[in-house]
Amino acid sequence: MEKEKNVFKLFTRYSGKATTEISHSEDPNFRPNKLSFKERWRKYGVFYLMLLPAIIFFLLFSYWPMTGIVLAFREFSFTSGMYGDEWAGLDYFKDFFADRESGMYLRNTLIISLIKLFLYLPFPILLALMLNEIKQARLRSLYQSISYLPYFISWVVVVGIVNRLLAPDTGLINVLLRDLNLSDGSKFWMMDTQFFYPAVFMSYLWKNIGWDSIIYFAAIMGISPSLYEAAAIDGASRLKQTRFVTLPGIRGTIMILFILSLGGILTAGFDQIYLMQNPGNYTVSETIDTYIVKTGLEQAKYGPATAVGLMQGVAGLVLTVIANKVADKYGDNAVW
């Protein structure tokens, strides 16, 4: 009797609407037919087997090494193995913040990370917008290929090029300045602390702008052409179409990539900074990443290095969760 009443209520509710379909989620008596393990394996077993190598890979090379985080709280010795001997508690964290140079590590890391996160962010978007304005497919492909190529060059080669361009006396920049009578051409630019951050930004921009523009360009390609046609009929210029159609259309992509980038706010990028570092710019180039490598690998202090690395990961996780919550509250661009 109760079942008949529920069916009657659903029928009377939907009888006055255009659709005659009744949602399963509103039927209290609906019970989905769950497959047993044998049935699921018989149906999807091939796909599970295809997924198995990837699962094994991540378990062995991603998740199992994460158990070594316990070393941040234990004393390591070469006879103790991966997980150390006795508990050290929070001693490694206290020692790091008690170090008189820890403030310098944090300051330099945050400055370089903010440069790469905020100052760099508009450039791949601008490049994607410019590529979108090129109507000839072959010409656009040529420009895209040229912009992508630096990404595949290692930082060793990139920093070597930068050092050659900025070398005293023989570097291209110093030669031009000497020919223009603006200096004697003997300045060692890479040892200038005021020039280090611009050099980091320009080299990072040149290497990554083409590759990072791929996602934005793909998002632009996903915008319906009818929106541009409607804007053109209303008299919108190309600039206004970009402002009111293109940018709102890729806003979700921009927000998602920004949220994901926040996870590396305390990771300024080891390869580039370590290779560009020298005694002259040490005060502005020594970051948490370089500290971890020098402490962990060069000095074999694996416990302190693990502790600082753990702080990096936790800070990135917290910032990512907060940014995602804010994006979810004030918009529909959250990652999860």
Side-chain angles (χ1 to χ4, degrees):
M1 189 67 180
E2 186 66 25
K3 181 178 181 180
E4 294 176 354
K5 289 182 179 180
N6 292 331
V7 173
F8 177 76
K9 288 180 181 179
L10 291 173
F11 176 78
T12 55
R13 179 176 181 180
Y14 286 92
S15 60
K17 296 184 179 181
T19 180
T20 59
E21 296 181 358
I22 299 178
S23 174
H24 294 309
S25 61
E26 299 190 21
D27 185 357
N29 298 303
F30 174 73
R31 296 293 184 271
N33 184 20
K34 295 183 179 180
L35 299 176
S36 65
F37 176 77
K38 290 184 178 180
E39 292 173 332
R40 286 199 306 269
W41 179 260
R42 189 180 301 112
K43 188 175 183 179
Y44 305 110
V46 176
F47 301 104
Y48 291 151
L49 291 176
M50 293 173 61
L51 189 62
L52 186 61
I55 295 176
I56 295 175
F57 175 84
F58 281 103
L59 287 175
L60 289 179
F61 298 103
S62 295
Y63 291 101
W64 180 66
M66 288 178 63
T67 59
I69 291 176
V70 72
L71 198 60
F73 309 96
R74 298 178 69 91
E75 295 181 0
F76 174 83
S77 65
F78 288 98
T79 60
S80 64
M82 179 177 173
Y83 302 104
D85 283 326
E86 300 178 357
W87 284 97
L90 301 177
D91 292 345
Y92 299 141
F93 299 92
K94 295 177 182 178
D95 293 341
F96 175 76
F97 287 105
D99 188 349
R100 59 187 180 88
E101 293 188 339
S102 61
M104 179 185 69
Y105 305 147
L106 292 172
R107 183 188 70 246
N108 296 339
T109 303
L110 287 174
I111 291 175
I112 296 174
S113 297
L114 293 176
I115 288 174
K116 294 181 177 181
L117 185 61
F118 291 99
L119 187 60
Y120 168 78
L121 178 64
F123 289 92
I125 301 174
L126 291 174
L127 178 59
L129 294 174
M130 289 189 291
L131 292 173
N132 184 52
E133 295 300 319
I134 302 176
K135 302 306 178 183
Q136 297 181 11
R138 290 186 177 180
L139 187 60
R140 183 173 62 232
S141 299
L142 175 63
Y143 289 149
Q144 284 180 316
S145 300
I146 294 174
S147 64
Y148 298 163
L149 285 177
Y151 179 80
F152 299 99
I153 302 175
S154 68
W155 274 116
V156 176
V157 177
V158 173
V159 175
I161 294 173
V162 172
N163 287 330
R164 293 300 299 171
L165 289 174
L166 301 174
D169 299 326
T170 60
L172 178 62
I173 303 300
N174 278 310
V175 170
L176 290 176
L177 292 176
R178 184 172 62 244
D179 292 342
L180 295 174
N181 295 323
L182 297 178
S183 72
D184 59 358
S186 62
K187 184 173 182 178
F188 203 133
W189 291 94
M190 293 305 297
M191 295 189 69
D192 187 353
T193 57
Q194 296 181 350
F195 183 75
F196 180 76
Y197 292 142
V200 169
F201 172 71
M202 293 303 297
S203 58
Y204 185 82
L205 176 67
W206 179 77
K207 188 177 188 299
N208 293 282
I209 184 173
W211 183 261
D212 291 340
S213 67
I214 295 176
I215 298 179
Y216 298 114
F217 184 74
I220 293 174
M221 292 292 100
I223 299 175
S224 175
S226 61
L227 297 177
Y228 292 102
E229 295 173 0
I233 293 174
D234 291 338
S237 62
R238 293 299 301 176
L239 183 61
K240 289 186 176 180
Q241 291 179 32
T242 301
R243 178 181 177 185
F244 296 105
V245 178
T246 306
L247 290 178
I250 64 174
R251 180 179 56 188
T253 303
I254 296 173
M255 192 63 191
I256 289 174
L257 293 178
F258 175 76
I259 293 173
L260 295 177
S261 299
L262 280 177
I265 190 67
L266 290 181
T267 305
F270 168 75
D271 295 345
Q272 179 190 17
I273 306 304
Y274 185 77
L275 293 169
M276 296 180 69
Q277 189 179 84
N278 57 57
N281 60 32
Y282 172 82
T283 57
V284 294
S285 64
E286 184 71 0
T287 63
I288 294 178
D289 291 318
T290 57
Y291 169 82
I292 291 175
V293 172
K294 292 177 180 179
T295 303
L297 296 181
E298 296 181 5
Q299 302 178 21
K301 297 179 180 179
Y302 302 113
T306 305
V308 178
L310 178 61
M311 287 192 299
Q312 276 186 303
V314 171
L317 176 62
V318 171
L319 288 175
T320 301
V321 172
I322 293 175
N324 187 75
K325 290 293 184 182
V326 173
D328 186 39
K329 182 177 181 180
Y330 296 100
D332 54 350
N333 300 319
V335 179
W336 67 85

